[in-house]
Amino acid sequence: MNQPLRVGIAGLGTVGASAVRLLESRSNGLVPRTGRALRITGLSARTRERDRGFDPAPYSWFDDATALASNPDIDIFVELIGGEDGPALDAVRAALKAGKHVVTANKALIAKHGLALGRLAAEHDVQIGFEAAVAGGIPVIKTLREALAGNEVDHVSGILNGTCNYILTRMQQDRIGFDECLAEAQRLGYAEADPTFDVQGYDTAHKLAILTSLAFGTEIDAESVYVEGITSITLADLDAADELGYKIKLLGVAQRTESGIEQRVHPTMIPKSAAIAQIDGVLNGVAIDGDAVGQVVLVGPGAGGDATASAVIADLADIARGLKIPAFGRPPETLAPYTRARMRRHEGGYYIRFSVVDRPGAFARIATCMADNDISLESIVQRKRAVRSAPAAETEPHAQQPVVLLTYETTEAAIRQALETIETAGVIASKPQIIRIEAARTA
Amino acid sequence: MNQPLRVGIAGLGTVGASAVRLLESRSNGLVPRTGRALRITGLSARTRERDRGFDPAPYSWFDDATALASNPDIDIFVELIGGEDGPALDAVRAALKAGKHVVTANKALIAKHGLALGRLAAEHDVQIGFEAAVAGGIPVIKTLREALAGNEVDHVSGILNGTCNYILTRMQQDRIGFDECLAEAQRLGYAEADPTFDVQGYDTAHKLAILTSLAFGTEIDAESVYVEGITSITLADLDAADELGYKIKLLGVAQRTESGIEQRVHPTMIPKSAAIAQIDGVLNGVAIDGDAVGQVVLVGPGAGGDATASAVIADLADIARGLKIPAFGRPPETLAPYTRARMRRHEGGYYIRFSVVDRPGAFARIATCMADNDISLESIVQRKRAVRSAPAAETEPHAQQPVVLLTYETTEAAIRQALETIETAGVIASKPQIIRIEAARTA
């Protein structure tokens, strides 16, 4: 039997405390599964004196995470501090340079510094595990990095933020407005006091950038992700979506196209029959399309102390078992540069909701602008009375009434051009709402 | 760079031919992912002369799979012959004894001989991979064996047979009878010419037994699985299920109980809102409940050449990467004996469909028998007219009309006792239909 692997854990918030408790309760049970014991030896957090549901007495205490990270008495450094720079980055760098393996749940850190940290890990011949950084307890990193190794992946889409999914589900199911749902999510602990990062889509963008690198073998590039949040989604949109057979989800999508790889985060209309449309509440889910396997969908808790700690333990167990795999599944020097597909070249269907002004010919003007840009309309919904297959609304204008159009597949550039012309023509009362449609990818 | 790993593939049916083509097209791309090339060196099948979409000329040909398995020019033996004994077993044993790693898609082989083969692999310090044996391209073996290592699993349930799921989905959606659906599935290639093994539930039982061992750390015991197939399911059952808010799926369930571990395969009523209820057509899906992670659900193609070959390649890549893990996630000698929970002690709700005879007091007799066995009724559906919350049907008997009861949680023993009494009382016209209900396990 090998010597136990000594684990230092920095950051004892919800996830950190769960990780300590879970590792304490499972460490004996893990030995037959890994061939090597995992023992906590050191801890670090801002305050030692707090009841976290375990006794810190048996472990060395470090006020400074970096001191723990480079301490000779640990073999693996677990970073659960959070933040893309600052102490988390310093400590992870120190650990790798000192030849320690690293396990982290920090998506912001990996999204921004993953490539550099992957290089550092390779240089020092140690592992860096971040299963917990994306979709909590769902093994999406392992699935992309190992289980689908024989596939060319051409599309990954995910519901990666439980806060947004909770809010959209609640709005849709109970017809409650965004602000009220957000306040409720905050009361229930599903949303942060400052929810900007979640509801504006940035959290999803970080996670998506990590998945993109794993799926396509490209250098991680979180800066290039096109990001729209969910703050503009109204009950009118959710009602129209429902009527048209769709659900609205905040989706992160990475997709191979002729001009490069699209990375985009935005509210998305998904056909109700799609597997990912069924994922409601705080759950996360990821759909991966591989050329050999077809579509695999993984669903589960995307956040929470124990679910995230489960992923931390999985990474620790892999390291104990002796797994040797580069951070993004391939040696850093073999990752291809990320080639960004411009959002203007995105192709797909669009949902557009207008408030059309009460003026003769206003709708005709809109229809003409769409036609001038080669945009074909699949359906028109006016005043929630019916879904029609042809633009018959011209003769019955309703002042400031919402008109919803669904287009057939077109390009983002055409949509933007058409909307610019429509806006300057003064036939709509406010900025149009645009939601991209994701076609079903499996039968 | 290490020497390439030399791969011998035996069995060139749909999966075997896909595996050869996929490995040929991916072998260079896999090198950065595994650190070691995988090269096919030998092939074996009954007939060499057949167009399988690849050229066999570059590879040594073996008429005898066992000769390939023990040939000094291979490092990994891939068994895609099928069958629980015979040439597949002989060849796999020969490979392990000769110190070759083994990758197989053969669920019957693993279900029956997995423990012995796992011991043989451990003895010779080689790997045995069987991701392809359960749920095709879905990485459920890896998820249970590695990703959920930090969890105590207490429940695994799966739709593990695409043929049955296709038939039930088609019956439900299009109101077509079992025989017609089966014939259609055979025409479409979703069902074998002899479908017994699939529709009677044995294929699901094999796969479930493998998952049980991985989930609970017990010795594999496929003989102890309680098995019922789908041949008795009628449109009347599917209609009643729909009316009551359920779908009927052939489910394999492994569950920890006070008296041991239940392993059962039977048609199951699942609330429509459950994730696993949404899995339709030929797709497979597995829901795993771990104490830390909560519920994780994996969905994808459970069969087909390329999807299954994707899992074969994943196992090969793991071996190339140097993964060392016992067959069932723990050394064979640490697996606990399987303790069977008797089906009589199963607890749950039941759906029971009777044809009640036209005789005064017949329904009263049934209701009394249920009450005598402490079985409480949740709802009664008679003649599809309504769902009622209390047994009010007594005063209006309908000769030979189906009466559907849903019970609250009770035991299998109580149900069997009640039905025996009811059958001998002569108040029903035919054998009652019983379908077990699986309660929703997540919110």
Side-chain angles (χ1 to χ4, degrees):
Chain A
M1 174 65 66
N2 294 304
Q3 291 287 338
L5 272 165
R6 299 160 303 170
V7 179
I9 301 181
L12 298 172
T14 311
V15 176
S18 281
V20 173
R21 294 193 305 264
L22 193 57
L23 198 50
E24 283 181 339
S25 70
R26 294 297 139 82
S27 65
N28 290 332
L30 278 168
V31 175
R33 304 190 70 144
T34 59
R36 196 165 175 187
L38 289 155
R39 297 266 177 264
I40 300 171
T41 50
L43 298 177
S44 172
R46 264 179 293 193
T47 326
R48 186 168 191 271
E49 313 312 326
R50 179 181 296 177
D51 182 7
R52 298 178 169 106
F54 64 86
D55 175 12
Y59 314 120
S60 308
W61 185 266
F62 294 78
D63 289 325
D64 175 14
T66 301
L68 171 61
S70 51
N71 186 276
D73 289 338
I74 69 159
D75 305 302
I76 309 179
F77 177 67
V78 180
E79 184 277 301
L80 302 170
I81 302 163
E84 62 180 32
D85 295 302
L89 178 61
D90 293 344
V92 167
R93 276 191 183 138
L96 295 172
K97 284 180 183 166
K100 322 286 191 192
H101 305 290
V102 168
V103 172
T104 177
N106 189 333
K107 53 252 174 192
L109 177 82
I110 297 297
K112 187 165 177 191
H113 302 288
L115 185 61
L117 295 173
R119 286 183 180 133
L120 203 54
E123 208 176 296
H124 293 272
D125 196 23
V126 290
Q127 296 293 301
I128 178 164
F130 46 86
E131 184 66 81
V134 182
I138 305 173
V140 61
I141 304 290
K142 186 175 271 289
T143 295
L144 280 170
R145 204 166 63 166
E146 300 166 33
L148 300 184
N151 287 263
E152 295 281 351
V153 173
D154 67 0
H155 193 273
V156 176
S157 60
I159 296 172
L160 300 170
N161 183 280
T163 307
C164 290
N165 206 42
Y166 174 82
I167 291 172
L168 290 175
T169 301
R170 189 92 166 91
M171 287 176 74
Q172 198 143 21
Q173 288 178 353
D174 303 298
R175 310 209 71 265
I176 302 172
F178 175 82
D179 292 331
E180 196 181 328
C181 282
L182 174 59
E184 184 190 73
Q186 288 172 317
R187 273 199 308 278
L188 293 168
Y190 297 156
E192 308 277 344
D194 177 1
T196 313
F197 205 71
D198 290 317
V199 300
Q200 299 289 3
Y202 300 121
D203 175 74
T204 300
H206 282 160
K207 294 165 177 168
L208 180 68
I210 296 170
L211 296 184
T212 303
S213 176
L214 288 156
F216 299 98
T218 50
E219 292 177 356
I220 198 166
D221 185 351
E223 295 296 308
S224 297
V225 181
Y226 175 85
V227 187
E228 275 178 31
I230 62 165
T231 52
S232 74
I233 300 297
T234 65
L235 290 178
D237 297 318
L238 292 161
D239 288 345
D242 186 55
E243 194 176 336
L244 292 159
Y246 293 88
K247 279 191 169 183
I248 300 176
K249 298 288 184 188
L250 182 70
L251 218 60
V253 181
Q255 181 176 12
R256 197 186 293 280
T257 74
E258 283 179 16
S259 63
I261 293 169
E262 279 185 9
Q263 291 188 101
R264 49 193 169 85
V265 172
H266 50 69
T268 309
M269 309 256 293
I270 310 172
K272 285 178 188 171
S273 60
I276 210 159
Q278 327 282 347
I279 300 167
D280 286 332
V282 293
L283 290 179
N284 281 18
V286 182
I288 305 166
D289 290 51
D291 62 348
V293 76
Q295 187 175 71
V296 171
V297 181
L298 314 177
V299 182
D306 285 351
T308 309
S310 165
V312 169
I313 305 296
D315 279 346
L316 290 172
D318 275 347
I319 291 169
R321 211 181 276 119
L323 177 75
K324 294 235 175 208
I325 193 164
F328 294 94
R330 301 153 171 96
E333 68 277 13
T334 70
L335 292 171
Y338 171 73
T339 308
R340 176 184 191 168
R342 296 278 153 191
M343 201 57 200
R344 293 182 58 80
R345 300 187 64 171
H346 169 71
E347 294 178 5
Y350 287 76
Y351 157 105
I352 309 168
R353 180 168 53 81
F354 297 104
S355 284
V356 180
V357 300
D358 186 10
R359 183 193 301 172
F363 189 82
R365 188 65 192 271
I366 290 173
T368 305
C369 284
M370 302 303 266
D372 287 349
N373 286 281
D374 287 331
I375 299 166
S376 302
L377 301 181
E378 183 186 318
S379 34
I380 296 168
V381 183
Q382 196 175 16
R383 304 193 70 187
K384 288 191 251 159
R385 281 191 307 205
V387 179
R388 290 173 198 159
S389 56
E394 198 174 343
T395 53
E396 30 177 13
H398 299 278
Q400 309 265 3
Q401 287 302 330
V403 173
V404 168
L405 307 182
L406 282 200
T407 78
Y408 282 109
E409 186 161 301
T410 178
T411 66
E412 180 91 9
I415 291 288
R416 290 185 188 176
Q417 182 61 53
L419 293 183
E420 199 183 303
T421 315
I422 290 166
E423 285 187 75
T424 54
V427 293
I428 53 174
S430 56
K431 204 169 157 51
Q433 169 75 299
I434 306 168
I435 304 177
R436 292 168 194 86
I437 299 169
E438 198 73 13
R441 297 181 66 84
T442 42
Chain B
M1 174 64 67
N2 294 305
Q3 291 288 340
L5 273 166
R6 299 160 304 168
V7 179
I9 301 181
L12 297 173
T14 310
V15 176
S18 281
V20 172
R21 293 193 305 264
L22 193 58
L23 198 50
E24 283 182 337
S25 71
R26 293 297 138 79
S27 65
N28 290 331
L30 278 168
V31 175
R33 305 190 71 143
T34 59
R36 196 164 177 189
L38 289 155
R39 296 268 176 261
I40 300 170
T41 50
L43 298 178
S44 172
R46 264 180 292 194
T47 325
R48 186 168 192 270
E49 312 312 325
R50 180 181 296 177
D51 182 6
R52 297 178 169 105
F54 65 86
D55 175 11
Y59 314 120
S60 308
W61 186 266
F62 294 77
D63 289 324
D64 175 15
T66 300
L68 172 61
S70 52
N71 186 276
D73 289 338
I74 70 158
D75 304 302
I76 309 180
F77 177 66
V78 180
E79 185 276 302
L80 302 171
I81 302 165
E84 64 181 30
D85 295 302
L89 178 62
D90 292 344
V92 167
R93 277 193 182 138
L96 295 173
K97 284 180 182 167
K100 323 287 191 190
H101 305 291
V102 167
V103 172
T104 178
N106 190 334
K107 54 251 175 192
L109 177 83
I110 297 297
K112 186 163 177 192
H113 303 289
L115 185 61
L117 295 173
R119 286 184 181 135
L120 203 54
E123 207 175 296
H124 293 273
D125 196 23
V126 290
Q127 297 293 298
I128 177 162
F130 46 87
E131 183 66 82
V134 183
I138 306 173
V140 61
I141 304 289
K142 186 176 271 288
T143 296
L144 280 169
R145 205 166 61 167
E146 301 166 32
L148 301 184
N151 287 262
E152 295 282 351
V153 173
D154 67 359
H155 194 274
V156 176
S157 60
I159 294 172
L160 300 170
N161 183 281
T163 306
C164 290
N165 205 42
Y166 174 82
I167 291 172
L168 290 174
T169 302
R170 189 93 166 90
M171 286 176 75
Q172 196 143 23
Q173 288 178 353
D174 303 300
R175 310 208 71 263
I176 301 172
F178 175 82
D179 292 331
E180 197 181 330
C181 281
L182 174 59
E184 185 190 73
Q186 288 171 317
R187 273 199 308 280
L188 293 167
Y190 296 157
E192 307 278 345
D194 177 1
T196 313
F197 205 70
D198 291 317
V199 300
Q200 298 291 3
Y202 301 120
D203 175 76
T204 300
H206 282 161
K207 293 166 177 168
L208 179 68
I210 297 170
L211 297 184
T212 303
S213 176
L214 287 156
F216 300 98
T218 51
E219 292 177 356
I220 197 165
D221 185 352
E223 296 296 310
S224 297
V225 180
Y226 174 86
V227 186
E228 275 177 31
I230 62 166
T231 53
S232 74
I233 301 296
T234 65
L235 291 177
D237 297 318
L238 292 161
D239 287 345
D242 186 55
E243 195 177 336
L244 292 159
Y246 292 89
K247 279 192 169 183
I248 299 176
K249 297 287 185 188
L250 182 70
L251 218 60
V253 181
Q255 182 175 11
R256 197 186 295 279
T257 74
E258 282 178 17
S259 60
I261 293 168
E262 278 185 8
Q263 292 188 100
R264 48 194 169 85
V265 172
H266 50 68
T268 309
M269 308 256 294
I270 310 171
K272 285 179 188 172
S273 60
I276 210 160
Q278 328 279 347
I279 299 167
D280 286 331
V282 293
L283 290 179
N284 281 19
V286 183
I288 306 165
D289 289 50
D291 63 347
V293 75
Q295 187 177 70
V296 171
V297 181
L298 313 177
V299 183
D306 285 353
T308 309
S310 165
V312 169
I313 305 296
D315 278 345
L316 290 172
D318 275 346
I319 292 169
R321 213 181 275 118
L323 177 74
K324 295 235 176 208
I325 193 164
F328 294 93
R330 301 153 170 97
E333 68 277 11
T334 69
L335 293 170
Y338 171 72
T339 308
R340 177 184 190 168
R342 297 274 152 192
M343 201 58 199
R344 292 182 59 81
R345 301 187 63 170
H346 170 70
E347 294 179 4
Y350 287 76
Y351 158 103
I352 309 169
R353 179 168 54 81
F354 296 105
S355 283
V356 179
V357 300
D358 186 11
R359 182 192 301 170
F363 189 82
R365 188 65 192 269
I366 291 172
T368 305
C369 284
M370 302 303 266
D372 287 348
N373 286 282
D374 287 332
I375 299 166
S376 303
L377 301 180
E378 183 185 317
S379 33
I380 296 169
V381 183
Q382 196 175 14
R383 304 194 71 189
K384 285 190 253 161
R385 281 188 309 203
V387 178
R388 292 173 199 158
S389 55
E394 200 175 340
T395 54
E396 30 177 17
H398 300 279
Q400 309 265 3
Q401 286 301 333
V403 172
V404 168
L405 307 182
L406 282 201
T407 78
Y408 282 110
E409 186 162 301
T410 177
T411 67
E412 180 91 9
I415 291 288
R416 290 186 188 175
Q417 182 60 55
L419 293 184
E420 200 184 304
T421 315
I422 291 166
E423 285 188 73
T424 54
V427 293
I428 53 174
S430 57
K431 205 171 157 50
Q433 168 76 296
I434 307 168
I435 304 177
R436 293 169 193 84
I437 299 170
E438 198 71 15
R441 297 182 65 85
T442 44

